[in-house]
Amino acid sequence: MKLLLKLLLSLILLFLILISLGYGILRSQWGIAAACRWISDATAYHLSIERFTHSWSHPLTFELDNMTFGEDGQPALLITDKLSFSLIARQLLTPSHFGQITIKQGSLVLSNLTPEATLPFSADRLELQAVKLLNPYPTNCLSAKKIDGVVIPWQPSQQAVLGKKFTFNFSAENVHVGGRQFDKLIAQGDKDHQILTIHHLSGAVDRGTFEGQLERSAEGVWQIPYLALDNIRFQTEKPFVDMITQQLSTDVTIKQLRVNHLSIVGPDWVINDLSAEGINLRNSTPPEGKLSLNAGSLILGTEEWSQPHLSLTGSGGNLHIDRFTAGWAKGTVSAEGEWQEKERHLLLNQLVFSNIHYVLPSAWQAFLQEKLPSFIDTITLNTLRVDNGLLIDITPDFPFQMTATHITGNHLQIAQHHQWGIWGGDAEYYAATTTFNRQDVRALWFKIKANSDSLKLQEIKALIGDGPVIGDVDIAQSSPRSFSLSLRGEKVPYSAFNHWFWQHPLQGTGNFDLKLEGNFSLADGVKSAQGTFTTPTFTQKKVP
């Protein structure tokens, strides 16, 4: 028994001597350099440490100064001024697992870690203090400065450098993600394999701030329980339609959204001072949820909308326009209706323009010949009303002006197969005074009736000079869009028609009967017209 006790004491003494010897060797520069060479040669990693330090006031904590670590054949993964690690009882069974690892004022370059690699260390707690996350390659999208944070526990695995299951708490001064900079970022949450939950996320971006919560399911579907954006201002190179289409194509659910004073500047569009509130928003097909938008102004090309308000509800397979109002062209516009996603049909139950003074853009004819966006095939106006409008076209070839204009329309189909036009419905038009190519016309009134075959202007009534004019126009809807015009009047100055479509000189005042036929094009106007201009004293014929 005494022999066994002496042998045990001798082994303990030898163990203590070996530990003391190893401790002394590691404390020397020669010893720590030799240990680094041995680890680099014996493992798949390279290691460099300038100094090994230890304080007996914390006997289980050790510090490594000026350390670099990485895979063989790869640049350094970690470069740090100081790394400390704490030993625990589990070290006896799992030497590579530590109680705590702390990295101070270092740099992590995650792109220098190959996907199939697994780091050989783990810890109950990983702590970062003022650590940089570097991004040496332009194709990578994440970098950060002054990261402070904790991961509990830290158990890295292949393609999961932070592990598969852990809680985290991070803050960073500057974070770059996908070309955008976030400042004073704070994130708290946990990860359970493919399920990621961020209980709190906040920071500053684009001169504003944000706060929210994020959840990602095991299938990769994102949900945002809460998101608040305040005073954010940014620029984009995307056209307005592309910007909206991109946002609608992202599969995400936002349970509660709050936006205050958001401004966006695009290449030819601006949204200024936008505020919004949303509940249970989902970019699904079709969209779901309720969204209310208000802005100081919206500029699209040359058009400016002041104080626009839009309320939307997505349900039942449709996106309902509960309310739209805005100041436009010195007047107001309001609408309500729905977008039927499956049919790509924009149906407006009501569209009202009041007191607008609108100068048509110089390329308005070319615009009407352009195709609508792919997500809008048909546009129908169940009720259209224009009250006291002023419409002006300054095109040099054929300028016109319509003053005190009133229009009422029912079931007007103004687009089909992505093409503008009047493809169905009926309307009444009245303008107190009009000028067509410098010729005045007063009290212009007519009816519009349209179907898939023809567009008719019926019961045209007007005053030219002191003489009344009545007539009809019939235009075919299909190419070559043949038309027929019939007008007759009394005590009308014949020269008025020289300002429009009649090239022969006309003089005098009196009664007339006009018949004209030809083809019509929105781009070129009347083409290949022929007909007769008949008065009590003469008849003129027009040929192509």
Side-chain angles (χ1 to χ4, degrees):
M1 185 65 181
K2 290 183 179 181
L3 181 62
L4 182 61
L5 183 59
K6 288 181 179 181
L7 179 61
L8 181 59
L9 291 175
S10 299
L11 290 174
I12 293 174
L13 181 61
L14 179 61
F15 179 71
L16 293 175
I17 293 173
L18 290 175
I19 290 178
S20 300
L21 182 61
Y23 178 80
I25 292 174
L26 290 176
R27 291 294 298 269
S28 68
Q29 289 187 349
W30 174 85
I32 194 64
C36 290
R37 286 195 301 270
W38 178 80
I39 292 174
S40 299
D41 294 339
T43 68
Y45 299 91
H46 58 83
L47 176 66
S48 173
I49 301 172
E50 182 178 307
R51 185 169 57 252
F52 174 88
T53 60
H54 174 255
S55 173
W56 287 105
S57 60
H58 298 88
L60 298 181
T61 300
F62 302 85
E63 292 185 345
L64 308 176
D65 296 340
N66 297 326
M67 170 184 169
T68 63
F69 172 79
E71 288 185 85
D72 286 344
Q74 298 290 332
L77 166 66
L78 171 64
I79 304 170
T80 180
D81 293 345
K82 190 177 293 291
L83 182 145
S84 65
F85 57 90
S86 300
L87 304 181
I88 54 176
R90 182 178 170 181
Q91 219 84 41
L92 299 175
L93 299 177
T94 311
S96 62
H97 184 86
F98 298 90
Q100 177 169 321
I101 296 177
T102 303
I103 301 173
K104 301 178 181 179
Q105 298 179 348
S107 298
L108 280 169
V109 190
L110 296 182
S111 56
N112 292 339
L113 183 67
T114 57
E116 63 275 6
T118 301
L119 293 177
F121 309 108
S122 60
D124 290 343
R125 176 187 174 99
L126 172 66
E127 184 172 344
L128 307 179
Q129 297 180 6
V131 174
K132 294 180 182 179
L133 184 63
L134 297 181
N135 177 20
Y137 306 115
T139 54
N140 293 328
C141 61
L142 176 63
S143 62
K145 296 179 181 178
K146 292 186 178 180
I147 301 175
D148 294 307
V150 174
V151 176
I152 302 174
W154 179 53
Q155 296 175 320
S157 60
Q158 271 192 7
Q159 299 182 338
V161 69
L162 294 180
K164 296 182 178 180
K165 187 174 183 179
F166 57 88
T167 62
F168 61 88
N169 187 337
F170 284 110
S171 66
E173 286 295 316
N174 304 106
V175 179
H176 290 265
V177 180
R180 191 169 297 279
Q181 178 175 318
F182 299 86
D183 299 313
K184 298 179 180 179
L185 187 68
I186 298 175
Q188 301 172 354
D190 59 76
K191 183 182 179 185
D192 188 352
H193 294 82
Q194 298 302 316
I195 300 175
L196 174 64
T197 304
I198 301 178
H199 303 292
H200 175 80
L201 179 68
S202 63
V205 62
D206 294 318
R207 294 176 288 177
T209 61
F210 66 92
E211 182 179 359
Q213 301 169 345
L214 294 175
E215 297 176 357
R216 188 190 67 190
S217 68
E219 294 75 25
V221 178
W222 286 95
Q223 285 195 355
I224 303 177
Y226 173 71
L227 178 62
L229 307 175
D230 291 285
N231 299 296
I232 291 178
R233 296 169 174 81
F234 70 93
Q235 292 182 322
T236 177
E237 297 179 355
K238 295 182 180 296
F240 182 76
V241 173
D242 292 350
M243 184 80 172
I244 298 300
T245 302
Q246 180 184 23
Q247 302 307 313
L248 292 176
S249 64
T250 305
D251 188 6
V252 64
T253 298
I254 305 177
K255 294 182 179 179
Q256 185 177 359
L257 172 68
R258 180 178 58 81
V259 178
N260 287 320
H261 310 300
L262 169 69
S263 295
I264 310 173
V265 178
D268 61 348
W269 60 276
V270 177
I271 298 177
N272 181 50
D273 197 19
L274 173 68
S275 296
E277 291 186 359
I279 299 175
N280 297 325
L281 302 175
R282 184 181 179 189
N283 281 355
S284 56
T285 304
E288 296 179 1
K290 192 172 185 62
L291 178 64
S292 177
L293 302 165
N294 295 279
S297 62
L298 168 64
I299 300 175
L300 297 176
T302 60
E303 303 298 330
E304 181 174 358
W305 310 75
S306 62
Q307 301 296 323
H309 169 81
L310 177 62
S311 296
L312 301 170
T313 301
S315 65
N318 299 325
L319 182 61
H320 302 274
I321 304 172
D322 301 323
R323 183 187 176 204
F324 172 73
T325 60
W328 179 68
K330 299 183 179 179
T332 61
V333 57
S334 62
E336 60 180 63
E338 65 182 19
W339 176 55
Q340 300 168 353
E341 190 276 337
K342 186 176 181 180
E343 295 81 9
R344 300 186 179 185
H345 181 196
L346 178 59
L347 172 63
L348 296 181
N349 295 323
Q350 187 175 40
L351 177 62
V352 179
F353 298 92
S354 298
N355 301 304
I356 62 170
H357 295 184
Y358 185 56
V359 178
L360 276 70
S362 58
W364 67 270
Q365 293 166 301
F367 170 78
L368 292 179
Q369 295 177 78
E370 294 178 356
K371 294 285 188 180
L372 275 77
S374 59
F375 56 86
I376 298 180
D377 179 85
T378 307
I379 301 177
T380 301
L381 310 179
N382 278 345
T383 300
L384 169 67
R385 195 172 80 244
V386 178
D387 297 326
N388 195 33
L390 172 61
L391 304 178
I392 303 173
D393 178 22
I394 58 175
T395 304
D397 295 338
F398 198 94
F400 64 79
Q401 177 172 316
M402 304 177 183
T403 304
T405 299
H406 297 266
I407 303 173
T408 58
N410 298 288
H411 307 293
L412 289 173
Q413 187 174 335
I414 62 171
Q416 73 172 13
H417 306 309
H418 309 287
Q419 185 61 58
W420 293 104
I422 302 178
W423 306 102
D426 60 85
E428 289 187 7
Y429 177 96
Y430 172 80
T433 59
T434 60
T435 301
F436 295 102
N437 200 24
R438 303 173 184 86
Q439 175 61 50
D440 292 337
V441 177
R442 293 179 290 116
L444 176 61
W445 182 91
F446 57 85
K447 291 182 178 180
I448 298 174
K449 288 189 179 294
N451 55 40
S452 58
D453 297 324
S454 65
L455 170 63
K456 299 178 184 292
L457 278 62
Q458 299 176 327
E459 303 178 33
I460 299 174
K461 298 177 183 178
L463 293 173
I464 301 177
D466 293 327
V469 175
I470 60 174
D472 297 282
V473 178
D474 194 336
I475 305 173
Q477 295 281 33
S478 57
S479 183
R481 303 210 72 177
S482 61
F483 78 92
S484 63
L485 167 66
S486 174
L487 284 179
R488 62 186 184 275
E490 298 178 356
K491 300 180 181 180
V492 174
Y494 299 145
S495 59
F497 298 95
N498 292 142
H499 293 279
W500 302 335
F501 43 75
W502 200 266
Q503 303 303 319
H504 299 303
L506 292 170
Q507 295 180 350
T509 301
N511 302 343
F512 77 94
D513 193 341
L514 173 65
K515 304 289 185 183
L516 195 65
E517 294 181 348
N519 296 325
F520 173 81
S521 167
L522 186 61
D524 303 322
V526 176
K527 301 189 302 180
S528 305
Q530 60 184 356
T532 58
F533 190 93
T534 303
T535 75
T537 58
F538 67 88
T539 298
Q540 285 188 357
K541 291 187 177 181
K542 176 180 175 64
V543 295

